[in-house]
Coordinates of all heavy atoms in Angstrom, one line a residue:
G1 N 123.4 68.1 95.8 CA 124.3 69.2 95.4 C 123.8 70.6 96.1 O 123.0 70.5 97.2
C2 N 124.4 71.7 95.6 CA 124.1 73.0 96.1 C 123.5 73.8 95.1 O 123.9 73.9 94.0 CB 125.3 73.6 96.8 SG 126.0 72.6 98.2
N3 N 122.5 74.7 95.5 CA 122.0 75.8 94.7 C 122.5 77.1 95.3 O 122.1 77.3 96.4 CB 120.4 75.7 94.6 CG 119.9 74.4 94.1 OD1 120.4 73.8 93.2 ND2 118.9 73.9 94.7
Y4 N 123.0 78.0 94.5 CA 123.5 79.3 94.8 C 122.6 80.2 94.3 O 122.3 80.4 93.1 CB 125.0 79.4 94.4 CG 126.0 78.8 95.1 CD1 126.1 77.4 94.9 CD2 126.9 79.4 96.0 CE1 127.2 76.7 95.5 CE2 127.7 78.7 96.7 CZ 127.9 77.3 96.4 OH 129.0 76.5 97.0
A5 N 122.2 81.3 95.2 CA 121.3 82.4 94.7 C 122.0 83.6 95.1 O 122.4 83.8 96.4 CB 119.9 82.2 95.2
P6 N 121.9 84.7 94.4 CA 122.5 86.0 94.8 C 121.7 86.8 95.7 O 120.4 86.6 95.7 CB 122.7 86.7 93.5 CG 121.7 86.1 92.5 CD 121.4 84.7 93.0
G7 N 122.3 87.5 96.7 CA 121.5 88.3 97.6 C 120.6 87.6 98.4 O 120.8 86.4 98.9
T8 N 119.3 88.1 98.3 CA 118.3 87.3 99.2 C 117.4 86.6 98.2 O 116.3 86.1 98.5 CB 117.5 88.3 100.0 OG1 116.9 89.4 99.2 CG2 118.3 89.0 101.2
S9 N 117.7 86.6 97.0 CA 116.8 86.0 95.9 C 116.7 84.4 96.2 O 117.7 83.8 96.7 CB 117.4 86.1 94.6 OG 116.8 85.5 93.6
L10 N 115.7 83.8 95.8 CA 115.5 82.4 95.9 C 115.7 81.8 94.5 O 115.7 80.6 94.3 CB 114.2 82.0 96.4 CG 113.9 82.4 97.8 CD1 112.4 82.0 98.1 CD2 114.8 81.8 98.9
G11 N 116.0 82.5 93.4 CA 116.3 82.1 92.1 C 117.7 81.7 92.0 O 118.6 82.4 92.2
A12 N 118.0 80.4 91.7 CA 119.3 79.9 91.7 C 120.1 80.4 90.6 O 119.6 80.6 89.3 CB 119.2 78.4 91.6
R13 N 121.4 80.8 90.8 CA 122.4 81.3 89.7 C 123.3 80.2 89.4 O 123.6 80.1 88.2 CB 123.1 82.5 90.3 CG 124.1 83.1 89.5 CD 123.6 83.9 88.3 NE 122.5 84.9 88.6 CZ 122.6 86.2 88.7 NH1 123.8 86.7 88.9 NH2 121.6 86.9 89.0
V14 N 123.6 79.3 90.3 CA 124.5 78.2 90.0 C 123.9 76.9 90.8 O 123.3 77.0 91.8 CB 125.9 78.5 90.7 CG1 126.7 77.3 90.6 CG2 126.6 79.6 89.9
L15 N 124.0 75.9 89.9 CA 123.7 74.5 90.3 C 124.9 73.7 90.4 O 125.5 73.5 89.4 CB 122.5 73.8 89.6 CG 121.3 74.6 89.3 CD1 120.4 74.0 88.3 CD2 120.5 74.9 90.5
A16 N 125.4 73.3 91.6 CA 126.6 72.5 91.7 C 126.5 71.1 92.4 O 125.7 71.0 93.3 CB 127.6 73.4 92.6
G17 N 127.0 70.2 91.6 CA 126.9 68.8 92.1 C 128.3 68.1 92.1 O 129.3 68.7 91.9
P18 N 128.3 66.7 92.3 CA 129.6 66.0 92.4 C 130.3 66.0 91.1 O 131.6 65.9 91.2 CB 129.0 64.6 92.8 CG 127.7 64.7 93.3 CD 127.0 66.0 92.6
Q19 N 129.7 65.9 90.0 CA 130.5 65.8 88.8 C 130.6 67.2 88.0 O 131.6 67.5 87.3 CB 129.9 64.8 87.7 CG 130.3 63.4 88.2 CD 129.2 62.9 89.2 OE1 128.0 63.4 89.2 NE2 129.7 62.0 90.0
D20 N 129.5 68.1 88.0 CA 129.5 69.3 87.3 C 128.7 70.4 88.0 O 128.0 70.1 89.0 CB 129.0 69.0 85.9 CG 127.6 68.3 85.9 OD1 127.0 68.3 86.8 OD2 127.3 67.8 84.8
A21 N 128.7 71.5 87.3 CA 128.0 72.7 87.8 C 127.5 73.3 86.7 O 128.0 73.2 85.6 CB 128.9 73.8 88.7
W22 N 126.4 74.1 86.8 CA 125.7 74.8 85.7 C 125.4 76.2 86.1 O 125.2 76.5 87.3 CB 124.4 74.2 85.4 CG 124.5 72.8 84.7 CD1 124.6 71.6 85.4 CD2 124.6 72.5 83.4 NE1 124.8 70.6 84.6 CE2 124.8 71.0 83.3 CE3 124.6 73.2 82.2 CZ2 124.9 70.4 82.1 CZ3 124.6 72.5 81.1 CH2 124.8 71.2 81.0
M23 N 125.7 77.2 85.2 CA 125.5 78.6 85.4 C 125.1 79.1 84.1 O 125.5 78.8 83.1 CB 126.7 79.3 85.9 CG 126.8 80.8 86.3 SD 128.2 81.4 86.8 CE 127.6 83.0 87.4
K24 N 124.1 80.2 84.3 CA 123.6 80.8 83.0 C 124.6 82.1 82.8 O 124.9 82.8 83.6 CB 122.2 81.3 83.1 CG 121.7 81.9 81.9 CD 120.2 82.4 82.1 CE 119.3 81.2 81.8 NZ 117.8 81.7 81.7
I25 N 125.1 82.0 81.5 CA 126.0 83.0 81.1 C 125.6 83.5 79.8 O 125.4 82.9 78.8 CB 127.6 82.5 80.9 CG1 127.9 82.1 82.4 CG2 128.4 83.7 80.5 CD1 129.4 81.3 82.3
D26 N 125.4 84.8 79.7 CA 124.9 85.4 78.5 C 123.6 84.8 77.9 O 123.5 84.6 76.7 CB 125.9 85.5 77.4 CG 127.1 86.4 77.8 OD1 126.8 87.4 78.5 OD2 128.1 86.2 77.4
G27 N 122.7 84.4 78.9 CA 121.5 83.7 78.5 C 121.6 82.3 78.1 O 120.5 81.7 77.8
K28 N 122.8 81.6 78.2 CA 122.9 80.2 78.0 C 123.4 79.5 79.2 O 124.2 79.9 79.9 CB 123.9 80.1 76.8 CG 123.5 80.7 75.4 CD 124.7 80.5 74.4 CE 124.6 81.4 73.3 NZ 125.6 81.3 72.4
M29 N 122.8 78.3 79.3 CA 123.3 77.5 80.5 C 124.7 76.9 79.9 O 124.9 76.3 78.9 CB 122.3 76.3 80.7 CG 121.0 76.8 81.3 SD 121.2 77.6 82.7 CE 121.8 76.3 84.0
T30 N 125.7 77.1 80.9 CA 127.1 76.6 80.6 C 127.4 75.6 81.7 O 127.1 75.7 82.9 CB 128.0 77.9 80.8 OG1 127.5 78.8 79.8 CG2 129.5 77.5 80.5
R31 N 127.9 74.5 81.1 CA 128.4 73.4 82.1 C 129.8 73.6 82.4 O 130.6 74.0 81.6 CB 128.3 72.1 81.2 CG 128.7 70.9 82.2 CD 128.5 69.5 81.3 NE 128.9 68.4 82.1 CZ 130.2 68.1 82.2 NH1 131.2 68.7 81.6 NH2 130.6 67.1 83.0
F32 N 130.1 73.2 83.6 CA 131.4 73.2 84.3 C 131.8 71.9 84.8 O 130.8 71.3 85.5 CB 131.5 74.3 85.3 CG 131.4 75.7 84.9 CD1 130.2 76.2 84.8 CD2 132.5 76.5 84.6 CE1 130.0 77.6 84.4 CE2 132.4 77.8 84.2 CZ 131.1 78.4 84.1
A33 N 133.0 71.4 84.6 CA 133.2 70.1 85.2 C 134.0 70.3 86.5 O 134.8 71.3 86.5 CB 134.2 69.3 84.2
A34 N 133.8 69.5 87.4 CA 134.5 69.6 88.7 C 136.0 69.5 88.5 O 136.4 68.5 87.7 CB 134.0 68.5 89.7
D35 N 136.8 70.3 89.1 CA 138.2 70.2 89.0 C 138.7 69.1 89.9 O 138.3 69.1 91.2 CB 138.8 71.5 89.5 CG 140.3 71.6 89.5 OD1 140.9 70.6 89.0 OD2 140.9 72.6 89.8
A36 N 139.5 68.1 89.3 CA 140.0 66.9 90.1 C 140.8 67.5 91.4 O 140.8 66.6 92.3 CB 140.8 66.1 89.2
G37 N 141.4 68.6 91.4 CA 142.1 69.0 92.6 C 141.5 69.9 93.4 O 142.0 70.5 94.3
A38 N 140.2 69.9 93.1 CA 139.3 71.0 94.1 C 139.1 70.4 95.4 O 139.2 69.2 95.8 CB 138.0 71.2 93.4
Q39 N 138.7 71.3 96.4 CA 138.4 70.9 97.8 C 136.8 70.6 97.8 O 136.1 71.4 97.3 CB 138.6 72.0 98.7 CG 138.1 71.9 100.1 CD 138.3 73.1 100.9 OE1 138.9 74.1 100.6 NE2 137.8 73.0 102.2
Q40 N 136.5 69.6 98.4 CA 135.0 69.1 98.5 C 134.4 70.1 99.5 O 134.8 70.3 100.6 CB 134.9 67.7 98.9 CG 133.5 67.2 98.8 CD 133.3 65.7 98.7 OE1 134.1 65.1 99.2 NE2 132.2 65.3 98.0
L41 N 133.1 70.5 99.1 CA 132.2 71.3 99.9 C 130.9 70.3 100.3 O 131.1 69.2 100.2 CB 131.8 72.6 99.1 CG 132.8 73.5 98.7 CD1 132.1 74.5 97.9 CD2 133.6 74.0 99.9
A42 N 130.0 71.1 100.7 CA 128.8 70.3 101.2 C 128.1 69.6 100.1 O 128.2 70.0 98.9 CB 127.8 71.3 101.9
A43 N 127.4 68.6 100.5 CA 126.5 67.8 99.5 C 127.3 67.3 98.2 O 126.7 67.2 97.2 CB 125.4 68.5 99.2
G44 N 128.6 67.0 98.4 CA 129.3 66.4 97.3 C 129.7 67.6 96.1 O 130.3 67.2 95.1
S45 N 129.4 68.8 96.5 CA 129.9 69.9 95.6 C 131.3 70.2 95.9 O 132.0 69.6 96.7 CB 129.0 71.1 95.8 OG 129.2 71.7 97.1
W46 N 132.0 71.0 94.9 CA 133.4 71.4 94.9 C 133.6 72.8 95.0 O 132.7 73.6 94.6 CB 134.2 70.7 93.8 CG 133.9 69.2 93.7 CD1 133.0 68.6 93.2 CD2 134.7 68.3 94.5 NE1 133.0 67.2 93.3 CE2 134.1 67.0 94.3 CE3 135.8 68.4 95.3 CZ2 134.7 65.8 94.7 CZ3 136.5 67.2 95.8 CH2 135.8 65.9 95.6
N47 N 134.8 73.4 95.4 CA 135.0 74.7 95.3 C 135.5 75.3 94.1 O 135.6 76.5 93.9 CB 136.0 75.1 96.5 CG 137.4 74.7 96.2 OD1 137.6 73.8 95.6 ND2 138.2 75.4 96.9
R48 N 135.8 74.4 93.1 CA 136.2 74.9 91.7 C 135.7 73.9 90.6 O 135.8 72.7 90.7 CB 137.8 74.8 91.9 CG 138.4 75.5 90.6 CD 139.8 75.7 90.8 NE 140.3 76.1 89.4 CZ 141.5 75.8 88.8 NH1 142.4 75.1 89.6 NH2 142.0 76.3 87.8
Y49 N 135.2 74.6 89.6 CA 134.8 73.9 88.5 C 135.3 74.8 87.2 O 135.6 75.9 87.2 CB 133.3 74.0 88.3 CG 132.4 73.1 89.4 CD1 132.3 73.8 90.7 CD2 132.1 72.0 89.2 CE1 131.6 73.0 91.7 CE2 131.4 71.2 90.2 CZ 131.1 71.8 91.4 OH 130.5 71.0 92.3
L50 N 135.6 73.9 86.0 CA 136.2 74.6 84.9 C 135.2 74.2 83.7 O 134.7 73.1 83.6 CB 137.6 73.9 84.7 CG 138.6 74.1 85.8 CD1 139.8 73.3 85.6 CD2 138.8 75.5 86.0
G51 N 135.2 75.2 82.8 CA 134.5 74.9 81.6 C 134.4 76.1 80.5 O 134.4 77.2 81.0
A52 N 134.5 75.8 79.2 CA 134.3 76.9 78.2 C 135.3 78.0 78.4 O 134.9 79.1 78.2 CB 132.9 77.3 78.1
G53 N 136.4 77.8 79.0 CA 137.4 78.8 79.2 C 137.2 79.6 80.4 O 137.9 80.5 80.8
Y54 N 136.2 79.4 81.3 CA 135.8 80.0 82.5 C 136.2 79.1 83.6 O 136.2 77.9 83.6 CB 134.3 80.3 82.6 CG 133.9 81.3 81.7 CD1 133.3 81.0 80.4 CD2 133.9 82.7 82.1 CE1 132.8 82.0 79.6 CE2 133.6 83.7 81.1 CZ 132.9 83.3 80.0 OH 132.4 84.3 79.1
E55 N 136.5 79.8 84.8 CA 136.7 79.1 86.0 C 135.6 79.6 87.1 O 135.5 80.8 87.2 CB 138.1 79.4 86.6 CG 138.3 78.8 88.0 CD 139.6 79.4 88.6 OE1 140.5 79.9 87.8 OE2 139.9 79.2 89.8
L56 N 134.9 78.7 87.6 CA 133.9 78.9 88.6 C 134.3 78.4 90.0 O 134.7 77.4 90.2 CB 132.6 78.1 88.3 CG 131.3 78.2 89.0 CD1 130.9 79.7 89.1 CD2 130.2 77.4 88.6
Q57 N 134.4 79.5 91.0 CA 134.8 79.2 92.2 C 133.6 79.4 93.1 O 132.9 80.4 93.1 CB 135.9 80.0 92.7 CG 137.3 79.9 91.9 CD 138.3 80.9 92.3 OE1 138.1 82.1 92.5 NE2 139.5 80.4 92.5
L58 N 133.5 78.4 94.1 CA 132.3 78.5 95.0 C 132.9 78.4 96.5 O 133.9 77.8 96.7 CB 131.4 77.2 94.7 CG 130.8 77.2 93.3 CD1 129.9 75.8 93.3 CD2 130.0 78.5 93.0
A59 N 132.2 79.0 97.4 CA 132.6 78.9 98.7 C 131.3 78.9 99.6 O 130.4 79.5 99.2 CB 133.3 80.3 99.1
L60 N 131.4 78.1 100.7 CA 130.3 78.2 101.7 C 130.8 78.5 103.0 O 132.0 78.2 103.5 CB 129.8 76.7 101.7 CG 129.2 76.1 100.6 CD1 128.8 74.6 100.8 CD2 127.8 77.0 100.1
D61 N 129.9 79.1 103.9 CA 130.3 79.3 105.3 C 130.5 77.9 106.0 O 130.0 76.9 105.5 CB 129.3 80.2 106.0 CG 127.9 79.5 106.2 OD1 127.9 78.3 105.6 OD2 127.1 80.1 106.9
D62 N 131.2 77.9 107.1 CA 131.4 76.7 107.8 C 130.4 76.3 108.8 O 130.3 75.2 109.4 CB 132.7 76.7 108.6 CG 133.9 76.8 107.7 OD1 133.9 76.2 106.7 OD2 134.9 77.4 108.1
D63 N 129.3 77.1 109.0 CA 128.3 76.8 109.9 C 126.8 76.8 109.3 O 126.2 77.9 109.4 CB 128.4 78.0 111.0 CG 127.5 77.6 112.2 OD1 127.1 76.6 112.4 OD2 127.1 78.5 112.9
P64 N 126.5 75.8 108.7 CA 125.2 75.8 108.0 C 124.1 75.7 109.1 O 124.3 75.2 110.2 CB 125.2 74.4 107.2 CG 126.2 73.6 108.0 CD 127.2 74.5 108.6
S65 N 122.9 76.3 108.6 CA 121.7 76.2 109.4 C 120.7 75.3 108.6 O 120.1 75.9 107.7 CB 121.2 77.5 109.7 OG 119.9 77.6 110.3
D66 N 120.5 74.2 109.0 CA 119.5 73.3 108.3 C 119.6 73.2 106.9 O 118.8 73.7 106.1 CB 118.1 73.8 108.6 CG 117.0 73.0 108.2 OD1 117.2 71.8 108.1 OD2 115.9 73.3 107.9
H67 N 120.8 72.9 106.4 CA 121.3 72.8 104.9 C 121.2 74.2 104.3 O 121.4 74.2 103.0 CB 120.3 71.9 104.3 CG 120.2 70.5 104.8 ND1 121.3 69.7 104.9 CD2 119.3 69.9 105.5 CE1 121.0 68.4 105.4 NE2 119.6 68.7 105.9
H68 N 121.2 75.3 105.0 CA 121.4 76.7 104.3 C 122.6 77.2 104.7 O 123.0 77.2 106.0 CB 120.1 77.5 104.8 CG 118.8 76.9 104.4 ND1 118.0 76.6 105.5 CD2 118.2 76.7 103.2 CE1 116.9 76.1 104.8 NE2 117.0 76.0 103.6
H69 N 123.3 77.7 103.8 CA 124.6 78.3 103.9 C 124.6 79.8 103.4 O 123.9 80.1 102.5 CB 125.8 77.5 103.2 CG 125.8 76.1 103.6 ND1 126.9 75.6 104.4 CD2 125.2 75.1 103.2 CE1 126.8 74.4 104.6 NE2 125.8 74.0 103.8
D70 N 125.6 80.6 103.9 CA 126.0 81.7 103.2 C 127.0 81.3 102.2 O 127.9 80.5 102.5 CB 126.6 82.8 104.2 CG 125.6 83.5 105.1 OD1 124.4 83.6 104.7 OD2 126.0 83.8 106.2
G71 N 126.8 81.8 101.0 CA 127.7 81.3 99.8 C 128.2 82.4 98.9 O 127.6 83.5 99.0
T72 N 129.4 82.1 98.2 CA 129.9 83.1 97.4 C 130.1 82.4 96.0 O 130.7 81.3 95.9 CB 131.2 83.6 97.9 OG1 130.9 84.2 99.2 CG2 131.7 84.7 97.1
I73 N 129.9 83.1 94.9 CA 130.2 82.7 93.6 C 131.3 83.6 92.9 O 131.0 84.8 93.1 CB 129.0 82.7 92.6 CG1 127.8 82.0 93.3 CG2 129.2 82.3 91.3 CD1 126.6 82.2 92.7
T74 N 132.2 83.0 92.3 CA 133.2 83.9 91.5 C 133.4 83.2 90.3 O 133.8 82.1 90.2 CB 134.6 84.1 92.3 OG1 134.4 84.6 93.6 CG2 135.5 85.1 91.5
L75 N 133.2 84.1 89.1 CA 133.5 83.5 87.8 C 134.6 84.4 87.2 O 134.5 85.5 87.2 CB 132.1 83.8 87.0 CG 132.2 83.2 85.5 CD1 132.3 81.7 85.4 CD2 130.9 83.6 84.8
R76 N 135.7 83.6 86.6 CA 136.7 84.2 86.0 C 136.7 83.9 84.5 O 136.4 82.7 84.2 CB 138.0 83.6 86.5 CG 138.2 84.2 88.1 CD 139.5 83.7 88.8 NE 139.6 84.1 90.1 CZ 139.8 85.2 90.6 NH1 140.2 86.2 89.9 NH2 139.8 85.4 91.9
D77 N 137.1 84.8 83.7 CA 137.2 84.5 82.3 C 138.6 83.9 82.0 O 139.3 83.5 82.8 CB 137.1 85.8 81.5 CG 138.2 86.8 81.7 OD1 139.3 86.5 82.2 OD2 138.2 88.0 81.1
P78 N 138.7 83.6 80.6 CA 140.1 82.8 80.2 C 141.3 83.7 80.6 O 142.4 82.9 80.7 CB 139.9 82.6 78.7 CG 138.5 82.7 78.5 CD 137.8 83.7 79.5
H79 N 141.2 84.9 80.9 CA 142.4 85.6 81.3 C 142.4 85.8 82.8 O 143.4 86.5 83.2 CB 142.4 87.0 80.6 CG 142.2 86.9 79.1 ND1 143.2 86.5 78.3 CD2 141.2 87.1 78.3 CE1 142.8 86.5 77.1 NE2 141.6 86.8 76.9
G80 N 141.8 85.1 83.5 CA 141.8 85.2 85.0 C 141.1 86.4 85.7 O 141.1 86.6 86.8
R81 N 140.4 87.2 84.8 CA 139.7 88.4 85.3 C 138.4 88.0 85.9 O 137.6 87.1 85.3 CB 139.5 89.4 84.3 CG 140.8 90.0 83.7 CD 140.5 90.9 82.5 NE 139.8 90.0 81.5 CZ 140.0 90.3 80.1 NH1 140.8 91.4 79.8 NH2 139.4 89.6 79.4
V82 N 138.1 88.6 87.0 CA 136.7 88.3 87.6 C 135.6 89.0 86.7 O 135.7 90.1 86.5 CB 136.7 88.8 89.1 CG1 135.2 88.7 89.6 CG2 137.7 88.2 89.9
V83 N 134.7 88.3 86.2 CA 133.6 88.7 85.5 C 132.3 88.7 86.2 O 131.3 89.3 85.8 CB 133.5 88.1 84.1 CG1 134.7 88.4 83.3 CG2 133.3 86.6 84.3
Y84 N 132.2 88.0 87.3 CA 131.1 87.9 88.1 C 131.5 87.5 89.5 O 132.2 86.6 89.8 CB 129.9 87.1 87.6 CG 128.6 87.0 88.5 CD1 127.7 87.8 88.5 CD2 128.7 85.9 89.5 CE1 126.6 87.8 89.3 CE2 127.5 85.9 90.4 CZ 126.6 86.8 90.2 OH 125.5 86.8 91.1
R85 N 130.9 88.2 90.5 CA 131.0 87.8 91.8 C 129.8 88.1 92.6 O 129.1 89.2 92.4 CB 132.3 88.6 92.7 CG 132.5 88.1 94.0 CD 133.7 88.8 94.5 NE 134.7 88.0 94.2 CZ 135.9 88.4 93.8 NH1 136.2 89.7 94.1 NH2 136.9 87.7 93.4
G86 N 129.3 87.1 93.3 CA 128.0 87.3 94.1 C 128.0 86.6 95.4 O 128.7 85.5 95.6
A87 N 127.4 87.2 96.3 CA 127.2 86.4 97.6 C 125.8 86.5 98.0 O 125.0 87.3 97.5 CB 128.1 87.3 98.6
G88 N 125.5 85.4 98.7 CA 124.0 85.2 99.1 C 123.8 83.9 99.7 O 124.6 83.4 100.5
Y89 N 122.8 83.2 99.3 CA 122.1 82.1 99.9 C 122.5 80.8 99.1 O 122.4 80.9 97.9 CB 120.7 82.4 99.9 CG 119.8 81.2 100.4 CD1 119.6 81.0 101.8 CD2 119.1 80.4 99.5 CE1 118.9 79.9 102.2 CE2 118.3 79.4 99.9 CZ 118.2 79.1 101.3 OH 117.3 78.1 101.7
A90 N 122.9 79.8 99.8 CA 123.2 78.5 99.1 C 122.5 77.4 99.9 O 122.5 77.3 101.3 CB 124.7 78.1 99.2
Q91 N 121.7 76.6 99.2 CA 120.9 75.5 99.9 C 121.6 74.2 99.3 O 121.7 73.9 98.1 CB 119.5 75.6 99.4 CG 118.6 74.4 100.1 CD 117.2 74.5 99.8 OE1 116.7 75.3 98.8 NE2 116.3 73.8 100.5
C92 N 122.0 73.3 100.2 CA 122.5 72.1 100.0 C 121.9 71.0 100.4 O 121.5 70.9 101.6 CB 124.0 72.1 100.5 SG 125.1 73.4 99.9
T93 N 121.5 70.0 99.6 CA 120.8 68.8 100.0 C 121.7 67.7 100.0 O 122.6 67.5 99.2 CB 119.6 68.5 99.1 OG1 120.1 68.3 97.7 CG2 118.7 69.6 99.1
G94 N 121.6 66.8 101.0 CA 122.5 65.6 101.0 C 123.7 65.8 101.9 O 124.7 65.3 101.9
D95 N 123.7 67.0 102.7 CA 124.8 67.3 103.7 C 124.9 66.2 104.6 O 124.1 65.6 105.1 CB 124.4 68.5 104.4 CG 124.8 69.9 103.8 OD1 125.6 69.8 102.7 OD2 124.3 71.0 104.2

């Protein structure tokens, strides 16, 4: 899967895999299921996950350097409003 970290931080904000992704929201780990209609990204991850009324969108650059990508995280609330957006570093294993 892929680990997304904001900015230049090495602390993962999102962990994304083939079946699900995890993100800490309001101090709690929240699980997101992979969307069946999503586009596959590196290492078996997906560009869209759904859970607990939220939509998690992930993006990776097309030119990885040794399993390291520039990545973007967008979290939308149940009304479609962006509640978090971050860009930074994504490390994907199993590319």
Side-chain angles (χ1 to χ4, degrees):
C2 295
N3 303 322
Y4 288 76
T8 58
S9 170
L10 295 178
R13 178 71 46 98
V14 171
L15 306 172
Q19 286 84 29
D20 55 15
W22 293 86
M23 181 177 188
K24 188 179 269 190
I25 301 173
D26 295 330
K28 298 178 191 169
M29 290 302 291
T30 302
R31 181 183 176 273
F32 296 83
D35 180 3
Q39 175 187 356
Q40 190 164 25
L41 300 175
S45 63
W46 301 92
N47 72 335
R48 185 171 175 214
Y49 294 84
L50 304 171
Y54 289 96
E55 176 186 346
L56 179 62
Q57 294 177 317
L58 306 175
L60 295 173
D61 68 352
D62 290 331
D63 189 22
S65 169
D66 190 29
H67 304 291
H68 301 117
H69 300 258
D70 288 329
T72 304
I73 303 165
T74 304
L75 181 66
R76 295 181 187 278
D77 70 9
H79 304 288
R81 297 176 295 213
V82 173
V83 293
Y84 177 82
R85 182 172 282 143
Y89 174 77
Q91 182 177 17
C92 299
T93 57
D95 276 348

